[in-house]
Amino acid sequence: MKRRTWLFIGAGLLVALVLAGVVSNFASGSPDGLDYTARDGCTTNAEGEITGGTCMAREEKDHETADSPLADYGIKGIDNEYLATGLSGALGVLITFGIGAGVFWLVRRRSPDRADSEKGTGND
Amino acid sequence: MHIANGIVNAQVSAVFAVFAVVALALCVARGRADLDDRLAPMAGLVAAFIFAVQMLNFQVLPGVSGHLLGGTLAVMLVGPWVGALCVSTVLIIQCLLFADGGLTALGLNITNMAVIGTAAGYLLVAGLLRVLPKTPTGLAVTGFIASVIGVVIASQGFVLQYWLGGTTDLSLPAIAGTMAGVHTLIGVGEGLITATTVATVARVRPDLVYALRRFRTRPGSTAGATPSLRSAA
C-alpha cells in the first residue's frame, strides 16, 4: 500500500488517540438516552443508584467483565480519574485498531484486479 | 445505547444473538468483495475512531447525554458490509474489555447499533446520494440527515426487543416515545460528527471515501447497489 495512505491512517489514529485519551475527560457524565429511558419511573440518589419506583433498570444485572482491568473505561490500580480514563481510552483505540485492522487484513480479497470493475449488484 | 444485562430476558437475547451471528457472517461474506489492501487498514481506523468518539458523551438535555453510534459514518467511509463489521468490532471490545453493554445483551446491541443502524444509514445514504451532489458539502448534508433518522430507527430496535422480552411491565408507547425523542436529539449530535468527519476525509483523501467511489448517483446509469423504490426508472 502507498506511503500516503499509511500517513493518512497514522494521522487518523492520532486524532482518535487525542479524542479518547484527552477529550474523553470532558465528556458528559449523564446517563445516555437508553440509560435515561431505563431509569424513567424510578427515583435515584446523588450517586445515580435507584432508590424506588418502577423502571427497566431495576432488573439490571451485573456485568460479566466488571472485574476487567479496563472496566468502565478506567484502569485498575490507577486512582487518578483523568489519567485512568485517558489511558484506558488510548489503549482502547490501539486495541480496536489492532484487532480491527488485523481481522480485516486477514479476510481481505487478495486478487490483484481492481475492485471497481467487479462490483456485485445489491439485493435487499 | 448499550443495553445492560437483565433488561431483556434470556430467550429473546439468545434469539438476537443468533440473528447477530448470522448477520455478521453475511457481512463478512459480502464485505470481502470490498475489502482490498487499502480498505482493510481504513476499516481498522474507522473502528478505532468510532471507539474513541463513542467515549465522548455529549449533553442533549439536563441529565441526559448521548454518544455517536457510528453506523452512518462507517457506511459512508467503508461501505455497508464492512461498516457493520467495524461497529460490531467496537461493541465486542467494549463488552469484553470495558464492561460496557452486557455479554448476554451483545446480540441485542449488535443488532441495534451495528445491523439496524448501519442498514438504515446505508439505505438513507444510497437514496440521498441519488439527488444530492457527490461533493464534500453534499456528503455532509447526506451524512447529517441519514444519521438523525438512522439513530432514531436504531433506537426503535431496542423498543422492539423490549416489546418481545422486556423484564418489567411498562407502557410500550411511552418507551417508544422517550427513546425516539431523546435519540432525535442524539441523532443531531451524531449527524454533526458524521458530517464533519466525512466532509474532512472527502477533502483530504476523496479516494478513501466509499460513498464517493461506489454509490451510484444517477438511477439507471449502472446496475448499482442502491435499492430503487421507483417503479419506472
Side-chain angles (χ1 to χ4, degrees), chain B residues 18-222:
Chain B
V18 173
F19 174 79
V21 169
V22 173
L24 293 189
L26 177 71
C27 287
V28 171
R30 298 296 300 266
R32 285 195 73 181
D34 290 332
L35 270 175
D36 53 20
D37 287 7
R38 195 168 50 166
L39 197 75
M42 182 64 183
L45 174 60
V46 167
F49 187 79
I50 290 174
F51 175 90
V53 181
Q54 284 207 355
M55 284 184 78
L56 310 179
N57 279 60
F58 47 84
Q59 204 79 24
V60 293
L61 286 173
V64 191
S65 75
H67 62 72
L68 178 94
L69 305 186
T72 301
L73 176 65
V75 163
M76 296 187 80
L77 291 177
V78 294
W81 311 105
V82 178
L85 294 173
C86 286
V87 180
S88 302
T89 304
V90 173
L91 295 174
I92 293 167
I93 289 171
Q94 287 171 330
C95 172
L96 296 181
L97 296 179
F98 293 87
D100 191 11
L103 187 57
T104 62
L106 188 55
L108 304 165
N109 286 322
I110 288 178
T111 301
N112 294 340
M113 290 185 268
V115 181
I116 299 178
T118 306
Y122 169 61
L123 294 175
L124 290 158
V125 168
L128 287 165
L129 283 182
R130 283 167 170 260
V131 286
L132 290 168
K134 282 187 173 184
T135 59
T137 310
L139 285 185
V141 174
T142 299
F144 180 81
I145 299 172
S147 292
V148 177
I149 302 172
V151 168
V152 174
I153 293 175
S155 81
Q156 298 306 301
F158 169 74
V159 177
L160 170 76
Q161 292 160 351
Y162 205 78
W163 174 61
L164 293 171
T167 48
T168 307
D169 195 17
L170 296 164
S171 153
L172 204 74
I175 296 170
T178 308
M179 284 295 283
V182 294
H183 284 91
T184 305
L185 300 174
I186 293 168
V188 171
E190 167 130 3
L192 294 173
I193 296 168
T194 302
T196 310
T197 308
V198 173
T200 305
V201 181
R203 283 197 184 92
V204 182
R205 287 294 303 272
D207 58 312
L208 291 179
V209 179
Y210 187 95
L212 289 177
R213 291 184 287 133
R214 300 297 191 82
F215 288 105
R216 303 285 184 252
T217 316
R218 282 176 219 87
S221 60
T222 330

Side-chain angles (χ1 to χ4, degrees), chain A residues 78-102:
Chain A
I78 297 184
D79 292 333
N80 183 317
E81 210 177 297
Y82 294 98
L83 194 63
T85 304
L87 276 178
S88 77
L91 268 175
V93 166
L94 295 176
I95 293 168
T96 308
F97 179 76
I99 293 178

